[in-house]
Amino acid sequence: MGATATNEPKSEISNYVKLNIGGSLFYTTVTTLSKLDSKLRDMVLSEVAQNAETLESEGWVFIDRCGKHFGTILNFLRDGSVPLPETCVEISEILAETKYYGISELHVACEQALQKKRNRNTNITWVTLITSQNEAQKLISVSSKPVVKFAINRHNNKYSYTGASDDNLLKNIELFDKLAEKHKERGLFIKDVIGSNEICCWTFYGPGGAVKKVAEVCCTSIVYATDKKHTKVDFPETRILEETMNVMLLDTRINKSVQEHELIEATSSLNGNCRCSCSSQWSDVQWENSTASTLEHN
């Protein structure tokens, strides 16, 4: 009985494993490491059992690998799934670690995630980047399509932004990229990242011949707090979508009735609340009259 009582705590203690992965320290259990048949399991358990040279005096099992993604690997062993990073570089790093540790299930998941990103990137929308106003005017004047120019200067007055300005700035950038993808066949999308002094401004031009500005949405304003001047960046999404739709309707190359239907559907899908917001400002009769006047004009 005494021998049995002595062995029970020893068995319990041996279930815990301390890992030193390239200087990053992790605690886990034999149970976690044994969930999948992997080189990592065999490597660690062998070192623990034999107390080889890689087992340090303090009880740490040392593995000469980078510990950056080892937490992700442990969580996959614990849960059977794990969220993967957004970037291909980090997924590729995890893929290399799964190959070394022989964790085939996570290896397959990483390969599938990379393949999805490759497939997504095969349909790239090329946004024209400009660096001067002269360059922008030349592009707009020769374009046979409507033009949406997005001027952004993140370094202009950067340190006097109000609280939500950075977030709104990123929302404007994200919306521009989405619209460029949605309407790549119908419009020319220009991003001005250097040649403008505007922090965040949308400008819309009709197609062909002359530089004719149809509309502009400036997303910045000046506010005052005590004796300091601050720049506020807004995100007027509904108005931006509306002006984009209006300028795209000026494209005479495509049947207007088909174009209007597809544009409304495309812009509404960007934001579930967009159609409700637009309908509060434009009735069905107003939309029909607007479209009819555009057709008569063209």
Side-chain angles (χ1 to χ4, degrees), residues 165-182:
S165 291
D166 279 331
D167 187 46
N168 286 335
L169 195 61
L170 293 176
K171 287 180 180 178
N172 277 282
I173 296 172
E174 182 182 22
L175 180 60
F176 177 80
D177 292 338
K178 287 182 178 179
L179 289 173
E181 173 62 30
K182 289 288 183 182

Side-chain angles (χ1 to χ4, degrees), residues 10-296:
K10 183 179 292 186
S11 175
E12 183 180 352
I13 293 173
S14 64
N15 186 46
Y16 294 91
V17 181
K18 297 190 294 183
L19 302 175
N20 182 344
I21 312 299
S24 299
L25 307 180
F26 298 88
Y27 289 88
T28 187
T29 64
V30 171
T31 303
T32 295
L33 294 172
S34 301
K35 284 188 176 181
L36 297 176
D37 183 12
S38 66
K39 177 183 173 182
L40 174 63
R41 179 199 65 180
D42 298 338
M43 182 191 313
V44 174
L45 296 187
S46 175
E47 298 296 345
V48 172
Q50 299 177 19
N51 194 27
E53 293 181 0
T54 53
L55 185 61
E56 301 174 355
S57 59
E58 296 86 358
W60 294 93
V61 176
F62 178 76
I63 298 177
D64 190 14
R65 297 289 294 182
C66 177
K68 178 180 178 181
H69 298 294
F70 194 76
T72 299
I73 291 173
L74 283 181
N75 285 335
F76 182 82
L77 292 175
R78 291 168 182 140
D79 303 328
S81 63
V82 70
L84 293 174
E86 288 296 323
T87 67
C88 292
V89 172
E90 289 187 301
I91 296 176
S92 299
E93 291 173 351
I94 296 175
L95 186 67
E97 297 304 303
T98 61
K99 183 177 181 180
Y100 176 81
Y101 292 123
I103 304 175
S104 58
E105 293 83 355
L106 183 54
H107 188 90
V108 170
C110 289
E111 286 186 328
Q112 291 175 345
L114 285 173
Q115 187 59 49
K116 286 182 180 179
K117 290 186 177 295
R118 293 189 191 104
N119 293 340
R120 189 184 308 161
N121 291 337
T122 56
N123 189 22
I124 296 175
T125 299
W126 294 100
V127 173
T128 304
L129 294 177
I130 62 169
T131 58
S132 71
Q133 292 304 311
N134 290 335
E135 184 181 358
Q137 290 177 355
K138 288 179 181 178
L139 288 171
I140 295 167
S141 64
V142 299
S143 176
S144 60
K145 302 177 181 180
V147 179
V148 178
K149 183 167 78 76
F150 179 55
I152 177 174
N153 189 341
R154 299 187 67 179
H155 302 288
N156 184 3
N157 211 19
K158 176 73 174 72
Y159 297 104
S160 67
Y161 284 3
T162 59
S165 291
D166 279 331
D167 187 46
N168 286 335
L169 195 61
L170 293 176
K171 287 180 180 178
N172 277 282
I173 296 172
E174 182 182 22
L175 180 60
F176 177 80
D177 292 338
K178 287 182 178 179
L179 289 173
E181 173 62 30
K182 289 288 183 182
H183 308 312
K184 58 187 175 183
E185 300 298 331
R186 294 186 171 93
L188 173 64
F189 287 80
I190 298 175
K191 185 179 288 186
D192 183 356
V193 295
I194 298 178
S196 173
N197 291 324
E198 296 287 349
I199 296 176
C200 185
C201 185
W202 299 71
T203 313
F204 304 87
Y205 300 88
V211 180
K212 181 180 179 182
K213 182 166 67 173
V214 176
E216 183 176 272
V217 179
C218 184
C219 302
T220 58
S221 59
I222 302 298
V223 296
Y224 291 88
T226 62
D227 59 338
K228 295 182 179 180
K229 183 176 73 172
H230 295 280
T231 303
K232 180 182 179 182
V233 180
D234 296 314
F235 179 52
E237 182 177 18
T238 300
R239 188 181 171 199
I240 292 168
L241 294 174
E242 180 182 330
E243 296 297 351
T244 301
M245 181 184 298
N246 289 339
V247 77
M248 292 300 160
L249 288 173
L250 299 176
D251 186 2
T252 58
R253 299 171 306 130
I254 302 174
N255 180 273
K256 288 294 188 294
S257 60
V258 174
Q259 184 186 33
E260 180 188 14
H261 173 75
E262 292 182 356
L263 279 171
I264 293 174
E265 183 179 358
T267 51
S268 297
S269 66
L270 288 174
N271 186 329
N273 297 325
C274 171
R275 183 169 295 177
C276 296
S277 299
C278 290
S279 63
S280 66
Q281 300 178 27
W282 291 77
S283 66
D284 292 338
V285 175
Q286 285 174 308
W287 276 115
E288 292 173 1
N289 292 339
S290 176
T291 306
S293 64
T294 303
L295 288 170
E296 292 173 0

